[in-house]
Amino acid sequence: MVAPIQENLVSKNKAYASSFTEGHLALPPAKKYAVLTCMDARIDPAAAYGINLGDAHVIRNAGASAKDALRSLVISEQLLGTEEILLIKHTGCGMLTFKNEDAVGILRKNLGEEATGQLEAFKGDFQPFPDLDQGVKDDVEYLKGSKLIREKIKISGWVYEVETGKVRSVV
Amino acid sequence: MVAPIQENLVSKNKAYASSFTEGHLALPPAKKYAVLTCMDARIDPAAAYGINLGDAHVIRNAGASAKDALRSLVISEQLLGTEEILLIKHTGCGMLTFKNEDAVGILRKNLGEEATGQLEAFKGDFQPFPDLDQGVKDDVEYLKGSKLIREKIKISGWVYEVETGKVRSVV
């Protein structure tokens, strides 16, 4: 038996593929940029940020963490020719609502000591941030300071408002 | 002067926000699942995988790497209540085309020795994989083997074909 979530993927994809006409697109992003944003379910980057298919890399993780995205951004820039990064965090982000010790406490309770020992995989850092605009500035700073990202790469920071669908410039 | 990429974000977003009616959506994904897929510019997860706004977390990185996504997946499951993961890699992925030593060589040439010293940030591992279906299986296995992901979480592996727009089940 196929689970409903998987059924949804198969049936919706069948409809999508039946009218698909973009099989000719090249691997490197046509507009040479990368967008880094949050995994949050309320964000549709293609629609909300105006990204046409084939135009940009889209990297998403919990909180739009620049540190977490570094490997992907280096590949995007060094191997696939992108020259600009839009870093977009958002209002109502889950990462604004807890501290590392809270998350570790929940894991210890739910999964036991053995599991929390495996947090080393990401250095035990869930990367929460207490202030939205400061979080955007800090992550842009992190990327500008990294020797793995060339100085000529344009990096800007933004906030997306899940309540209104609007983006605003931060840095 | 605003760069064209940023101009595009601002103007397209303005149009999006002007007809936005989804400001009521809750933080936890309504359908309690997470999709992990590649950052590749040729993938539009919402459209191709049938994800409605608010329904699922969408995590994207170079190659749809499970290891890279672990922090986000733990947050998705433990703090935001998701119960199923769809892991979807794709044909024509850049991660199929090089080896770690190739990438390090390119970085050394472009950025110098000082920069390659910073690769420690992601343990010098770009996480390429030589075989697509095996890569899907390995990453599903990695998640099933992690003590940070509960056994009750459903995990399935898929391939998206950038040439046809179709998904197919792998594991």
Side-chain angles (χ1 to χ4, degrees), chain A residues 41 54 78 110 114 126 147, chain B residues 41 54 71 78 110 114 126 147:
Chain A
Q78 293 285 331
N110 288 348
E114 195 187 356
F126 288 89
K147 298 225 180 304
Chain B
R71 179 187 67 93
Q78 293 284 333
N110 287 349
E114 194 187 358
F126 287 90
K147 298 224 182 302

Side-chain angles (χ1 to χ4, degrees), chain B residues 119-140:
Chain B
L119 290 176
E120 179 50 33
F122 46 91
K123 296 174 185 164
D125 187 1
F126 287 90
Q127 300 180 41
F129 48 91
D131 182 89
L132 180 55
D133 283 37
Q134 192 57 48
V136 173
K137 288 175 193 165
D138 289 348
D139 272 18
V140 168

Side-chain angles (χ1 to χ4, degrees), chain A residues 89-102:
Chain A
K89 296 189 191 267
H90 67 97
T91 56
C93 185
M95 307 306 287
L96 293 160
T97 65
F98 69 92
K99 291 180 182 169
N100 257 328
E101 49 266 40
D102 304 329

Side-chain angles (χ1 to χ4, degrees), chain A residues 104-119:
Chain A
V104 173
I106 290 170
L107 256 72
R108 181 170 291 123
K109 184 164 159 281
N110 288 348
L111 302 174
E113 281 298 332
E114 195 187 356
T116 51
Q118 293 200 355
L119 290 176

Side-chain angles (χ1 to χ4, degrees), chain A residues 3-169:
Chain A
I5 298 296
Q6 295 176 34
E7 263 174 30
N8 175 71
L9 169 65
V10 170
S11 66
K12 295 278 183 55
N13 175 260
K14 200 170 175 181
Y16 178 76
S18 73
S19 62
F20 184 76
T21 57
E22 306 280 357
H24 61 283
L25 294 171
L27 170 58
K31 286 196 179 161
K32 299 190 178 181
Y33 71 110
V35 173
L36 168 56
T37 198
C38 185
M39 69 179 180
D40 194 285
R42 296 165 294 180
I43 304 172
D44 179 350
Y49 307 156
I51 308 166
N52 289 329
L53 202 67
D55 277 358
H57 283 141
V58 180
I59 302 162
R60 302 181 66 175
N61 62 45
S65 158
K67 201 182 282 183
D68 226 43
L70 188 61
R71 179 188 67 94
S72 296
L73 287 169
V74 170
I75 290 168
S76 177
E77 188 217 323
Q78 293 285 331
L79 301 181
L80 292 164
T82 57
E83 296 171 351
E84 179 158 357
I85 298 167
L86 306 180
L87 190 158
I88 312 176
K89 296 189 191 267
H90 67 97
T91 56
C93 185
M95 307 306 287
L96 293 160
T97 65
F98 69 92
K99 291 180 182 169
N100 257 328
E101 49 266 40
D102 304 329
V104 173
I106 290 170
L107 256 72
R108 181 170 291 123
K109 184 164 159 281
N110 288 348
L111 302 174
E113 281 298 332
E114 195 187 356
T116 51
Q118 293 200 355
L119 290 176
E120 179 50 33
F122 46 89
K123 296 173 184 162
D125 187 1
F126 288 89
Q127 301 180 40
F129 47 93
D131 182 272
L132 180 55
D133 283 37
Q134 191 59 45
V136 172
K137 287 175 194 164
D138 288 349
D139 272 18
V140 167
E141 215 43 51
Y142 171 82
L143 293 176
K144 287 190 172 172
S146 171
K147 298 225 180 304
L148 292 170
I149 305 289
R150 276 182 280 208
E151 275 183 45
K152 71 164 190 175
I153 303 296
K154 272 186 214 159
I155 308 173
S156 55
W158 307 75
V159 160
Y160 174 73
E161 300 177 353
V162 294
E163 302 83 3
T164 64
K166 289 179 186 167
V167 292
R168 62 177 170 81
S169 167

